[in-house]
Amino acid sequence: EVRLVESGGGLVQAGGSLRLSCTASGSIFDYDDFAIGWFRQAPGKEREGVACLNSGDGSTMYEESVKGRFTISSDNNKYTISLQMNSLKPEDTAVYYCVLDINRVCNPMAGFKVRLYDYWGQGTQVTVSS
C-alpha cells in the first residue's frame, strides 16, 4: 500500500503564491526510482498534469502553462515533495492531486497521462481570485 498525504491548498489572490506538499509512505519505501508529482482538475474539465519528478535522478517535467511559475522539488527526502506556485492566476484554480507511480513515468516520452499513475492523494483545493 502506498499512501499520499497532501497539504497547502487555500485561497489566494491573483499574483500570490502557495506551496503544496505531499508525503508518500508505505510500500513505496521498497522502491528506489519512482515518479511523483501533481495533477489538477478544474470544475467541468479533465484532469491534467502539472509537474512531476523522478526520484532516482531528480529530473522534472512541467506542463507548459505553469513552466517558470511553478517549481517541484524534494524537500527533506525523496518521499516528500513540494510544489511552489508563484504568480498564480485564476486559471490555476483547481483541485490539485499528488500522484505517484513505482515506474519511472515522469518523462517527455510518457507525457502527463492519468493512466500512468496508480496512486493518488485525496486532493487539495486551490482557489485563485481576481
Side-chain angles (χ1 to χ4, degrees), residues 19-90:
R19 187 178 181 88
L20 307 182
S21 65
C22 173
T23 298
S25 61
S27 60
I28 190 61
F29 299 132
D30 296 331
Y31 302 92
D32 294 322
D33 194 359
F34 55 88
I36 187 168
W38 299 88
F39 276 65
R40 67 184 180 185
Q41 185 170 28
K45 298 181 180 179
E46 295 185 350
R47 294 186 183 185
E48 64 176 1
V50 178
C52 62
L53 178 151
N54 289 305
S55 67
D57 60 8
S59 60
T60 60
M61 184 170 67
Y62 295 91
E63 195 275 326
E64 192 66 26
S65 69
V66 308
K67 190 174 183 179
R69 299 189 297 122
F70 292 9
T71 302
I72 188 171
S73 63
S74 297
D75 290 338
N76 299 316
N77 56 69
K78 65 180 180 180
Y79 303 111
T80 300
I81 60 166
S82 294
L83 184 69
Q84 179 64 44
M85 304 185 294
N86 297 326
S87 301
L88 283 162
K89 305 174 181 179

Side-chain angles (χ1 to χ4, degrees), residues 39 46-49 99 111-118 120:
F39 276 65
E46 295 185 350
R47 294 186 183 185
E48 64 176 1
V99 300
F112 287 111
K113 297 182 176 66
V114 170
R115 63 177 175 83
L116 295 178
Y117 293 87
D118 287 334
W120 293 70

